[in-house]
């Protein structure tokens, strides 16, 4: 059974805090000199622990930033930075605190070592460790899994960060499972991701060859060298004998490990068996009492009691095929690998690899074992969770830019709340010391969202070839048509989340799903509004050639199409949705999609390109009029039902007054008086001549659903700011976000009966944490909850900021304001959102803040305003201390 010891020393800041408490107590009791002595003892203890660990590891030649040595500067003698390494956990806490990234660069020894001399004599090529060198070493036994792609990415980014080399090595010693097809597939996926290697297959370099299957002689030579040095020996145990030993160990309850039968065998007996041609393996001689320790960049110090962990393990099988851990150790050394970043499942392999490296006199690289990637059910990501290979995601329409962006965030962050990164930004920000040891959950929804962000930001000229490939590959067109491809690209890019969405949208536009759409209940509103007459008017206009589709290839088209629509509206006495929605259905066969004029242009260009699946305009009009004829009785009944119900469809302008009088007449007298009063308020706030309302007659509160009150803007729509739940809050506690240095996690009392709510804000770079607790703030309380680096936030603290966002201040309610009190506007009174807006969840609701925010400012006195009207509580206006004429958000 493996015995693994994880030692995670406390960060130095915690040690210093405890020391400060002890020293403070000593000083208060008058023991000044004793306090000084304790300080010195703590500093020496820290240094001794680091020195002891470094000496155990052989001072592996890591170049360490001088910033790491700050804790030991308390000593009178300054220790050179390059001669000492702190434990990784302590070093990582210091590096993150000072914004310093881990540099994996190793320093080469000036003197030629004995092992280098041997390698040269044996004709074995090796690479000096003078630069940062990282590698990705996949086994070609399947497709490139997203976990492997993340490992490759982390090594690529770390190498690029320090101007080092990214090496690709193919570990194909598993002859039974390794295939050439798998290798080619993996290489294609790496190239698609843009993870280009400086050394490896098809590139070559000083560490060649880069396939383990081509390095057999090297492994045999170094296995024999280990025998010569006394670190390995031939073992003649047969498989039957080994199985018997395993069974006996299991029966007795002993650890299952090789018992060392041939470890100290008579050399003459060994030679006799070799001369007789008996098969044998080479086993590594595990040193008694040995403890292997590594300082992992992700997991801190990890130690193994070797004797309790494993027995003498095999290096070369009797067939001459080397064992995985032996190959990996040898190749990492000979290829000059300075840092090994890989999945945590390889952590248990490390002990064997370190033993081999130390026995041969090689340097031990820096290790970083990254966490597992889990599926949404918190189990290890596998095929049952859906797509897991890079090629599957590529075929589904994901961009390589989005894939590397998302994979980088699976276990790493740069201390900010940023989500969208370019490749160059990732290289600049990446640091292996910021990779977290906790498992990361693969969220397809977020990956898809990120893909949409990258796709919409992409240069259309780069997106066009992708659209063209989709159209040709799926036989929409036989060959690329530049005009059609360019138009479709422009039409769909803003609507796509995946590249493949472009094909789906294009095929929908070229098709005509009229019958399916009109049979849906969502269409009844338009069908009951004299749809037969309108459909006939559209068909007649098209038949007369009035629809300017023939101009779709010219600059005149857009204006000509608008003129045609306006003319059709006048002829049918329709406007707004009464015109545009039924027109969209009649021409496109859908209620949604790209602009109707763009869809009509697609028909024109697709017909010229002889596109498959195209339903021409004349055929559409035939199907439209035929459907109306086939459903004439049903349409008549819908029209009658609408009229009998007092009209649930659209009313002409000259019908509105009469319909209102009929509706009001059905109400009780008190209800009629309420309606007339509200109508008067609306008239005062929205003069019919379009002039500004009189002073004091800004938009009023009118009755809403269920007795609620709603505020209308000048267009008669609900004023968006009145939909926000803006309240006074008090910060009860505040702490740094564990995974993002720029974020605070606050507990804020906003008057909820359940108690304080969690709110995450990006204020850590602007306001000291000790100035946050106890502050009274303004909070937006009904935004949709959002996860920020794994923690859900239930609100947003309002702040003022300058244009450059270099200065940020809290927006503070007037003194005496009580947590939970809702904010008011001069022009509207207290802002009370309706029950429907309790949480702004729907897509349209989520747009409310985006509509309101640009009009929220501080005035010349620093007071918060919305369109010039001041926000206030019962105690007075809300202010920023010094920011005036600034943005609020």
């Amino acid at each position: 059974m493996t015995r693994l010891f994880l030692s995670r020393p406390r960060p130095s800041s915690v040690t210093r805090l405890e020391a400060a408490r002890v020293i403070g107590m000593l000083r208060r009791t008058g023991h000044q000199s004793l306090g000084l002595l304790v300080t010195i003892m703590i500093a020496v203890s820290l240094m001794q622990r680091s020195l002891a660990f470094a000496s155990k590891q052989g001072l592996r030649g890591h170049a360490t930033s001088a910033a790491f040595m700050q804790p030991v500067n308390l000593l009178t003698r300054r220790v050179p930075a390059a001669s000492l390494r702190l434990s990784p956990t302590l070093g990582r806490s210091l590096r993150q605190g000072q914004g310093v990234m881990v540099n994996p660069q190793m320093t080469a020894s000036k003197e030629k070592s004995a092992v280098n001399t041997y390698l040269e004599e044996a004709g074995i090529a090796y690479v000096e460790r003078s630069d940062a060198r990282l590698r990705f070493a996949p086994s070609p036994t399947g497709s490139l899994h997203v976990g492997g792609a993340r490992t490759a990415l982390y090594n690529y980014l770390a190498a690029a960060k320090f101007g080092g080399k990214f090496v690709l090595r193919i570990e194909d010693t598993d002859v039974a499972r390794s295939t050439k097809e798998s290798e080619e597939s993996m290489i294609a996926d790496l190239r698609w991701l843009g993870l280009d290697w400086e050394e490896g297959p098809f590139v070559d370099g000083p560490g060649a060859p880069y396939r383990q299957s081509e390095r057999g002689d090297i492994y045999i030579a170094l296995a024999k060298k280990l025998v010569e040095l006394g670190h390995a020996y031939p073992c003649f145990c047969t498989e039957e004998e080994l199985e018997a030993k395993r069974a006996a160990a299991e029966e007795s309850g002993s650890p299952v490990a090789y018992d060392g039968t041939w470890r100290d065998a008579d050399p003459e007996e060994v030679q006799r068996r070799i001369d007789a041609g008996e098969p044998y393996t080479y086993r590594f001689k595990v040193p008694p009492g040995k403890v292997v320790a590594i300082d992992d960049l992700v997991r801190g110090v990890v130690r193994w009691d070797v004797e309790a962990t494993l027995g003498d393990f095999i290096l070369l099988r009797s067939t001459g095929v080397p064992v995985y851990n032996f190959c990996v150790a040898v190749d990492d050394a000979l290829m000059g690998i300075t840092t090994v970043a890989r999945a945590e499942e390889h952590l248990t392999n490390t002990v064997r690899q370190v033993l081999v490296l130390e026995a041969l006199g090689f340097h031990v690289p820096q290790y970083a074992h990254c966490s597992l990637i889990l599926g949404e059910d918190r189990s290890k990501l596998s095929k049952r969770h859906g797509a897991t290979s890079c090629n599957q995601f590529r075929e589904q329409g994901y961009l390589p830019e989005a894939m590397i962006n998302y994979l980088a965030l699976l276990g790493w962050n740069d201390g900010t709340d940023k989500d969208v990164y370019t490749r160059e930004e990732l290289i600049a920000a990446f640091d292996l010391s910021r990779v977290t040891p906790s498992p990361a959950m693969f969220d397809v929804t977020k990956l898809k969202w990120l893909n949409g962000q990258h796709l919409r930001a992409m240069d259309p000229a780069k997106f066009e070839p992708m659209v063209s490939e989709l159209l040709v590959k799926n036989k929409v067109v036989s060959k690329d048509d530049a005009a059609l491809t360019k138009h479709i690209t422009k039409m769909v890019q803003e609507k796509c989340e995946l590249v493949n969405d472009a094909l789906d949208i294009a095929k929908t536009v070229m098709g005509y799903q009229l019958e399916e759409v009109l049979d849906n209940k969502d269409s009844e509103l338009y069908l009951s509004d004299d749809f037969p007459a309108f459909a006939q008017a559209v068909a007649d206009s098209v038949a007369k050639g009035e629809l300017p589709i023939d101009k779709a290839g010219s600059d005149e088209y857009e204006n000509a199409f608008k003129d045609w629509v306006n003319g059709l509206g006048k002829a049918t006495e329709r406007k707004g949705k009464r015109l545009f929605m039924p027109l969209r259905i009649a021409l496109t066969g859908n209620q949604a999609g790209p602009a109707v004029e763009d869809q009509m242009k697609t028909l024109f260009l697709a017909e010229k390109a002889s596109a498959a699946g195209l339903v021409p305009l004349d055929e559409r009009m035939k199907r439209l009029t035929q459907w109306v004829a086939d459903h004439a009785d049903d349409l008549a009944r819908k029209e009658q039902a609408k009229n009998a119900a007092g009209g649930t469809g659209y009313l002409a302008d000259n019908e509105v007054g009469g319909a209102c009088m009929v509706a009001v007449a059905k109400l009780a007298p008190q209800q009629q008086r309420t309606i007339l009063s509200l109508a008067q308020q609306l008239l005062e706030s929205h003069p019919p001549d379009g002039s500004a309302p009189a002073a004091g007659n800004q938009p009023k509160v009118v009755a809403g659903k269920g007795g609620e009150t709603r505020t209308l803007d000048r267009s008669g729509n609900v004023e968006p700011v009145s939909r926000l739940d803006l309240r006074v809050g008090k910060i009860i506690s505040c702490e740094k976000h564990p995974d993002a240095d720029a974020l605070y996690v606050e507990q804020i009392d906003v008057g909820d009966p359940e108690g304080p709510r969690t709110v995450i804000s990006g204020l850590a770079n602007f306001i000291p944490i000790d100035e946050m607790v106890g502050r009274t703030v303004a909070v937006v309380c009904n935004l949709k909850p959002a996860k920020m680096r794994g923690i859900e936030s239930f609100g947003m603290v309002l702040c003022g900021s300058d244009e450059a966002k270099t200065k940020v201040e809290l927006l503070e309610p007037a003194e005496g304001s009580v947590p939970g009190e809702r904010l008011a506007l001069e022009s509207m009174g207290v802002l009370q959102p309706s029950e429907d807006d309790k949480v702004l969840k729907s897509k349209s609701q989520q747009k409310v803040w985006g509509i309101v925010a640009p009009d929220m400012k501080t005035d010349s006195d620093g007071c918060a305003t919305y369109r010039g009207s001041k926000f206030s509580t019962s105690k007075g206006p809300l202010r920023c201390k010094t920011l005036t004429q600034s943005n609020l958000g």
Side-chain angles (χ1 to χ4, degrees):
M1 187 176 195
T2 299
R3 291 178 63 187
L4 180 67
F5 305 98
L6 291 176
S7 173
R8 298 185 64 83
R10 293 183 180 182
S12 59
S13 58
V14 176
T15 304
R16 287 197 296 271
L17 178 61
E18 293 175 346
R21 289 172 179 166
V22 174
I23 294 165
M25 180 186 70
L26 292 170
R27 286 177 176 169
R28 286 194 300 273
T29 57
H31 295 80
Q32 301 285 344
S33 59
L34 187 55
L36 177 60
L37 177 60
V38 170
T39 304
I40 295 172
M41 288 175 65
I42 290 171
V44 172
S45 175
L46 282 171
M47 183 177 179
Q48 285 178 337
R49 182 173 63 180
S50 296
L51 282 169
F53 179 79
S55 64
K56 217 179 246 187
Q57 291 299 90
L59 287 175
R60 299 198 301 261
H62 296 254
T64 311
S65 168
F68 297 5
M69 302 309 302
Q70 294 302 319
V72 298
N73 286 347
L74 295 169
L75 303 177
T76 54
R77 181 172 65 86
R78 186 180 180 89
V79 181
S83 68
L84 176 64
R85 294 183 69 220
L86 297 179
S87 68
T89 306
L90 180 58
R92 181 163 61 245
S93 69
L94 291 169
R95 287 192 292 272
Q96 291 179 357
Q98 299 178 28
V100 180
M101 292 177 63
V102 174
N103 187 338
Q105 182 171 335
M106 318 293 285
T107 55
S109 173
K110 293 183 180 178
E111 298 181 5
K112 185 181 292 186
S113 66
V115 68
N116 289 3
T117 302
Y118 164 74
L119 292 173
E120 290 177 1
E121 290 174 353
I124 298 174
Y126 65 93
V127 180
E128 290 285 1
R129 293 150 54 94
S130 58
D131 296 310
R133 293 175 62 83
L134 295 95
R135 52 77 164 177
F136 176 53
S139 298
T141 56
S143 55
L144 182 62
H145 186 274
V146 291
R150 184 189 65 170
T151 298
L153 174 64
Y154 281 4
N155 283 281
Y156 168 87
L157 293 174
K161 172 79 175 181
F162 297 106
K165 301 290 186 183
F166 174 51
V167 180
L168 176 63
R169 184 173 75 223
I170 305 298
E171 296 185 341
D172 56 352
T173 53
D174 187 344
V175 180
R177 298 176 61 218
S178 298
T179 66
K180 199 67 178 175
E181 293 76 16
S182 177
E183 178 186 324
E184 291 171 353
S185 171
M186 286 184 168
I187 286 176
D189 287 339
L190 289 172
R191 284 175 170 160
W192 174 68
L193 290 170
L195 304 183
D196 300 323
W197 52 98
E198 285 84 10
E199 295 178 28
F202 309 108
V203 179
D204 218 348
Y210 293 96
R211 292 182 179 86
Q212 287 184 342
S213 59
E214 299 171 6
R215 299 171 64 83
D217 292 343
I218 296 174
Y219 306 133
I220 292 172
L222 288 178
K224 290 180 177 178
K225 184 64 178 177
L226 285 171
V227 174
E228 179 187 324
L229 294 170
H231 295 301
Y233 58 90
C235 171
F236 296 91
C237 290
T238 64
E239 188 58 42
E240 291 76 15
E241 291 172 330
L242 292 174
E243 184 56 42
K245 293 176 188 291
R246 279 192 288 268
E250 289 175 357
E251 186 175 345
S252 65
S254 303
V256 179
Y258 180 66
D259 61 3
T261 301
W262 288 91
R263 181 183 177 108
D264 299 310
D266 180 6
E268 292 183 2
E269 175 64 14
V270 170
Q271 190 59 49
R272 184 188 67 76
R273 290 185 176 240
I274 291 175
D275 293 342
E278 291 188 29
Y280 61 93
T281 62
Y282 279 125
R283 285 186 180 272
F284 185 85
K285 190 181 290 186
V286 174
K290 175 72 173 178
V291 173
V292 168
I294 63 167
D295 52 348
D296 194 281
L297 282 171
V298 176
R299 300 178 183 280
V301 178
V302 187
R303 293 184 177 88
W304 291 267
D305 179 345
V306 177
E307 278 189 295
T309 301
L310 47 85
D312 293 351
F313 53 91
I314 295 175
L315 300 174
L316 285 178
R317 297 183 179 88
S318 59
T319 58
V321 176
V323 171
Y324 169 80
N325 283 306
F326 181 51
C327 296
V328 171
V330 167
D331 290 344
D332 284 345
L334 296 183
M335 294 180 185
I337 301 303
T338 60
T339 302
V340 175
R342 58 189 180 185
E344 69 172 298
E345 59 198 26
H346 288 286
L347 186 61
T348 54
N349 293 326
T350 308
V351 59
R352 293 176 174 82
Q353 294 167 19
V354 171
L355 288 171
V356 170
L357 290 167
E358 290 180 343
L360 286 169
F362 290 127
H363 290 287
V364 176
Q366 178 77 68
Y367 290 100
H369 286 91
C370 307
S371 62
L372 293 174
I373 299 176
L374 306 179
E376 292 182 359
D377 60 355
R378 310 298 295 179
S379 64
K380 186 177 177 181
L381 188 67
S382 63
K383 291 179 181 178
R384 63 190 177 84
H385 292 106
T388 58
S389 74
C390 289
N391 188 53
Q392 286 176 303
F393 285 107
R394 173 171 53 176
E395 289 177 347
Q396 288 178 11
Y398 288 90
L399 297 170
E401 294 84 356
M403 286 299 297
I404 65 169
N405 185 165
Y406 182 66
L407 291 175
L409 297 177
L410 285 178
W412 168 87
N413 71 81
D414 64 357
T416 71
D417 58 354
K418 183 173 181 176
D419 283 315
V420 182
Y421 292 83
T422 64
R423 185 184 303 268
E424 293 71 24
E425 288 171 336
L426 283 174
I427 291 172
F430 189 75
D431 184 345
L432 277 171
S433 72
R434 291 203 62 90
V435 175
T436 63
S438 304
M441 190 176 78
F442 196 91
D443 184 350
V444 177
T445 301
K446 183 168 183 179
L447 170 59
K448 196 170 185 180
W449 175 82
L450 272 175
N451 199 76
Q453 299 298 310
H454 282 278
L455 200 155
R456 287 186 280 276
M458 180 182 287
D459 183 345
K462 188 177 178 182
F463 187 38
E464 275 182 36
M466 300 180 191
V467 174
S468 174
E469 181 183 354
L470 280 171
L471 296 176
V472 174
K473 182 179 178 180
N474 289 275
K475 299 181 180 179
V476 175
V477 292
S478 57
K479 62 179 181 179
D480 179 51
D481 183 280
L484 178 62
T485 300
K486 186 172 184 176
H487 171 67
I488 290 177
T489 300
K490 181 180 178 183
M491 178 177 68
V492 306
Q493 187 167 2
E494 284 296 318
K495 299 181 178 297
C496 290
E497 284 197 315
L498 302 176
V499 173
N500 292 2
D501 290 346
L503 175 67
D504 296 335
I505 296 172
K507 290 173 75 172
T508 299
V509 168
M510 292 182 200
Y512 192 59
Q513 298 81 33
L514 178 76
E515 294 81 2
E516 180 182 341
V517 170
L518 291 181
D519 287 339
N520 192 298
K521 287 186 177 181
D522 292 342
S523 300
E524 288 190 1
L525 178 64
Y526 314 111
L527 294 179
S528 61
D529 185 23
D530 200 14
F531 186 74
F534 181 77
Q536 191 61 53
V538 173
D540 290 345
S541 180
V542 170
K544 294 175 184 176
E546 293 174 353
L547 176 61
I549 195 169
D550 57 320
K551 296 182 179 179
S554 70
D555 295 336
E556 303 173 21
Y557 170 69
E558 190 172 337
N559 289 331
F561 186 86
K562 287 180 181 178
D563 292 342
W564 176 75
V565 172
N566 290 335
L568 182 66
K570 289 179 181 178
T572 57
E573 296 184 342
R574 290 171 178 254
K575 61 182 180 180
K577 282 191 174 182
R578 285 195 70 229
L579 170 63
F580 298 127
M581 286 305 297
L583 178 61
R584 174 182 284 276
I585 292 171
L587 291 178
T588 72
N590 269 299
Q591 291 191 48
V596 176
E597 58 266 35
D598 288 339
Q599 296 196 50
M600 293 299 99
K601 184 174 182 178
T602 304
L603 299 188
F604 172 76
L605 296 173
E607 190 167 10
K608 290 183 66 177
S610 302
L614 174 66
V615 179
L617 190 58
D618 56 350
E619 182 179 336
R620 294 178 182 221
M621 295 301 99
K622 287 179 183 177
R623 285 170 56 179
L624 174 64
T625 53
Q626 185 62 53
W627 187 92
V628 169
D630 293 344
H631 295 78
D633 293 342
D634 185 44
L635 290 172
R637 283 194 296 270
K638 291 180 186 296
E639 188 80 21
Q640 290 171 1
K642 180 200 73 170
N643 293 333
T648 57
Y650 296 106
L651 295 173
D653 289 349
N654 60 1
E655 298 174 326
V656 173
C660 287
M661 293 301 294
V662 169
V664 171
K666 296 178 181 180
L667 301 175
Q670 180 57 45
Q671 293 173 322
Q672 292 179 359
R673 283 193 288 272
T674 300
I675 292 294
L676 293 173
S677 174
L678 294 172
Q680 181 63 33
Q681 290 182 31
L682 188 60
L683 182 64
E684 291 171 356
S685 62
H686 303 78
D689 60 2
S691 62
N697 283 331
Q698 295 296 324
K700 299 291 183 177
V701 178
V702 300
K705 187 176 85 174
E708 299 163 353
T709 57
R710 307 300 293 271
T711 305
L712 303 185
D713 63 14
R714 284 183 51 77
S715 300
N717 299 315
V718 175
E719 173 57 65
V721 73
S722 71
R723 302 179 68 179
L724 295 176
D725 186 359
L726 302 173
R727 298 189 222 166
V728 175
K730 185 174 183 179
I731 301 176
I732 305 301
S733 67
C734 179
E735 59 185 20
K736 278 283 191 75
H737 193 297
D739 293 326
D741 293 343
L743 300 181
Y744 282 148
V745 181
E746 301 137 12
Q747 296 297 319
I748 303 181
D749 178 9
V750 291
D752 289 335
E754 299 84 5
R757 61 172 64 189
T758 301
V759 176
I760 299 178
S761 65
L763 298 173
N765 292 332
F766 303 100
I767 302 174
I769 195 167
D770 55 359
E771 294 181 14
M772 292 289 290
V773 178
R775 295 284 287 272
T776 304
V777 293
V779 184
V780 186
C781 294
N782 61 335
L783 299 180
K784 182 182 178 182
K787 276 194 176 181
M788 300 182 73
R789 295 296 184 201
I791 300 178
E792 200 158 28
S793 178
F794 296 88
M796 180 175 68
V797 176
L798 289 177
C799 302
S801 66
D802 58 11
E803 286 294 334
K805 290 189 166 51
T806 57
K807 184 177 182 180
V808 175
E809 292 180 355
L810 289 171
L811 179 63
E812 298 186 77
E815 186 175 353
S817 299
V818 179
E821 180 181 356
R822 283 192 162 85
L823 305 191
L825 266 177
E826 286 178 329
S827 58
M828 300 182 192
V830 176
L831 300 176
Q832 176 82 38
S834 72
E835 189 64 26
D836 289 342
D837 290 332
K838 187 174 182 180
V839 180
L840 302 175
K841 285 184 177 180
S842 71
K843 286 187 177 180
S844 62
Q845 287 176 318
Q846 291 175 43
K847 294 177 181 178
V848 170
W849 174 250
I851 296 169
V852 172
D855 292 320
M856 293 183 68
K857 309 281 184 183
T858 58
D859 62 15
S860 56
D861 296 323
C863 294
T865 68
Y866 174 71
R867 296 180 180 172
S869 181
K870 287 184 181 180
F871 284 102
S872 65
T873 68
S874 60
K875 300 299 182 181
L878 292 84
R879 281 191 170 88
C880 287
K881 283 187 177 178
T882 64
L883 284 171
T884 60
Q885 306 292 347
S886 64
N887 299 317
L888 289 176

